[in-house]
Amino acid sequence: MNTSQQHDTHEIVIAATLWLMHRYQQTGCRKLAHMIEQHLAWMHDRASSPRLADTCRRLSFEWRAVSTATPMRPTPPILH
């Protein structure tokens, strides 16, 4: 994998993780929380570069802050 492809993969993996964390904030789903914990550990253990490993470590700190905060209640849809 060349450097450009590796950079793109890192960005995709990071964006997906941030999206999952955002969804957890919206739903408070414990199953999703467990999946995020596993995903972060898997990414860190298999990081193909020091940069990705460092990013995973920082995301783990962010995750602890998000997962210990009181989740927001989902708002019901507005029916028209």
Side-chain angles (χ1 to χ4, degrees):
M1 183 181 299
N2 68 38
T3 305
S4 176
Q5 289 173 323
Q6 190 176 30
H7 179 74
D8 291 344
T9 300
H10 294 174
E11 296 300 320
I12 291 167
V13 169
I14 292 164
T17 305
L18 292 173
W19 184 83
L20 289 171
M21 292 166 77
H22 175 73
R23 288 298 297 154
Y24 172 77
Q25 279 185 303
Q26 293 175 325
T27 65
C29 175
R30 293 308 306 162
K31 187 174 181 179
L32 181 57
H34 182 67
M35 184 177 75
I36 293 168
E37 291 167 8
Q38 289 180 321
H39 179 70
L40 286 169
W42 184 87
M43 283 189 342
H44 182 268
D45 293 346
R46 289 162 183 79
S48 57
S49 73
R51 180 176 168 250
L52 184 57
D54 183 56
T55 300
C56 292
R57 201 170 13 263
R58 286 185 284 127
L59 282 172
S60 291
F61 289 122
E62 299 254 346
W63 169 244
R64 284 187 207 112
V66 169
S67 66
T68 58
T70 304
M72 296 170 33
R73 296 185 78 89
T75 56
I78 299 172
L79 302 175
H80 296 275

